Amino acid sequence: MTEAAPKKEQRRKFQAIRGTRDLLPPDTALWNHVEETAHAVFNTFGFGEIRPPIFEPTELFARAVGANTDVVSKEMYKLHGDLESFRDRAIGESNRPRTPQQLNMSVVMFVVFVGALKQALDSQELTADAESLRTIEKLTSLVREGHKRWQASQPTGWGTEWPEFFAECQRLAIQISIESQSLRPEATASVCRAYIEHNMQQLPQPQKLYYIGPMFRRERPQKGRYRQFYQIGAEVLENVKPDPMRDTAKELAKDAITDAEVIQMVMTFFDRLKLPGVQLEINSIGHAAENCRRGYVALLKSELEKVKDKLGADSQRRIETNPLRILDSKLEHEQPIIATLPKIADHLCDDCKTHYAAVKRELELRGVFYKENWRLVRGLDYYMRTTFEITAQGLGSQNAVCGGGRYDGLVELLGGPPTKGIGFAIGEDRLILSLQEAKDQSLVTSHQPPFVYVAWMGANAYAAAVHAAKDLRAAGIRVELPPVEQKFGKALERASKLGAQYALILGDNEVAEGTWTLKTLADGTQQKFTEPHLLDFLKKL
Ligand code: ATP
Ligand code: MG
């Protein structure tokens, strides 16, 4: 029987969604090399790997990253928004009592909403506490009743009872907490959530954790900017015990050492990878206090007000919402203005000054080169003191491969105990792009095992070839065993096409004699071995 030709839509050619991409061989070898290097280097600094889930409650990111940031307000991938959008529709529809059609639609939308609620509860996509459950039950029976009444009377106007009915439906609907979930746009929030959830403050402090994995942001895709991208990041979290005898000077010195160690770890990692043109920039953004950052921001605001007319629209808006971010501006015509603005370094409190000086000293002690950049800021409130960014070559305007900073207080903001934190996130895609631009792929190939193509001819040789392949593979050597007999010329051609370094020549004669020939494809030289010697030789490569 022949199958019917597929319909046009069945022949649709699928493509990866814009902003996502397939990572393919041979590139994936470089990805693996990068990740293996991260595991190795981070382990030498005493970090352990954490693998948090890739989706979490939306609320977690809203609170940790900040509801007003672009990342959260515009770029998050929300999952099952159905319930929320049904609720929004039902509320929106029933808000403006006008036409009978709207009345009908309002009833229908509430019916849909309670139906969806039931389904979500049954499938456990929605979990509700006892109170929420009671509210859902109340709403459901109210809506059912209303629906019946509506069917019975087919009302042609809103009268007074329907606005009252919908007001009550809305009141109940709003009370139901529908927890939306989102794909993670970053992982610091998850690590902090995990620290709290697993009571890690009871483990030896600090906890040093790192992660590798995909992140999701709905950004405009371009070179070095994707909607699914990968980060390699690390966090150091340390519980702060209440201690009336706390020695502030000691604490500051200790924190500075932690910061420097973390920065040194990233730099060691980049160094190990031979990442070209690495530049570390550091800054201190003080802490949120009147005699420190808050005072500085107030001063900055008043200075910005004076030059407001000369700034672009974005910066004008940010004077109110986020003046620090203006320092980050890349607009050509704003540069001379920004250059005249007050610098935070001149307005740090004594503790923050002491800490910053210590970080620089500690970096110098470790031989880590840095450049100070007073305009390096992080837009979020909880960041404090140390901030840093690392750029690399060959990336155009998306040249930041790593961003990091100290965030004491974030764990507490997420409902955990008082905790200090510092961490960074490396953009793995950009890191790989930069390594590829450098065209020094030797570091990739040098990690490949020897690659042997088995050129066999004859039935006896085939059996020997199968055994040889098994032994060589067990020794970690890459072996290509062709499934069909090939003439030697053809076999050698295919071996070099695949990129093999050696061809193992196995004819019935060789097998009978017990001496096998290994041909080095690069120069055509040949060597004869007995099988055990051959294994020894290849293993030593
Ligand atoms: P950028 O200024 O480049 O947008 P960011 O401040 O949004 O970066 P962070 O949230 O600090 O970046 O993330 C740390 C690193 O993750 C960045 O330095 C970058 O290398 C990488 N990164 C961030 N967003 C993307 C993306 N959409 N695609 C690829 N890499 C990204
Ligand atoms: Mg960004």
Side-chain angles (χ1 to χ4, degrees), residues 232-301:
I232 301 176
E235 320 287 349
V236 179
L237 296 168
E238 183 178 10
N239 182 233
V240 186
K241 298 220 169 58
D243 175 8
M245 307 292 284
R246 181 173 301 279
D247 180 342
T248 311
K250 241 184 176 167
E251 283 292 312
L252 290 169
K254 194 183 81 179
D255 292 351
I257 291 174
T258 306
D259 295 3
E261 284 262 316
V262 166
I263 295 173
Q264 182 188 17
M265 181 168 89
V266 197
M267 296 301 273
T268 306
F269 172 53
F270 287 163
D271 196 45
R272 193 72 59 84
L273 290 172
K274 302 196 178 70
L275 185 67
V278 176
Q279 276 225 19
L280 164 69
E281 294 193 342
I282 61 167
N283 191 21
S284 172
I285 54 167
H287 78 299
E290 215 47 61
N291 65 343
C292 199
R293 184 166 68 230
R294 210 171 287 149
Y296 168 72
V297 170
L299 174 70
L300 185 64
K301 256 187 183 174

Side-chain angles (χ1 to χ4, degrees), residues 298-334:
L299 174 70
L300 185 64
K301 256 187 183 174
S302 71
E303 290 302 310
L304 283 165
E305 286 294 346
K306 292 182 196 159
V307 293
K308 187 168 181 175
D309 298 345
K310 296 184 203 149
L311 297 173
D314 273 344
S315 294
Q316 290 198 4
R317 205 165 13 86
R318 287 194 174 129
I319 296 180
E320 275 316 309
T321 56
N322 198 345
L324 279 178
R325 274 290 304 279
I326 299 175
L327 302 180
D328 212 20
S329 158
K330 306 277 185 302
L331 286 182
E332 199 66 49
H333 80 275
E334 291 184 345

Side-chain angles (χ1 to χ4, degrees), residues 352-364:
C352 286
K353 252 186 221 154
T354 306
H355 173 266
Y356 188 36
V359 170
K360 289 188 276 187
R361 236 182 6 253
E362 291 295 335
L363 286 174
E364 282 151 27

Side-chain angles (χ1 to χ4, degrees), residues 71 75 217 219 225 430:
V71 168
E75 299 168 0
R217 295 182 195 177
E219 300 196 77
R225 199 178 284 292
R430 293 186 195 173

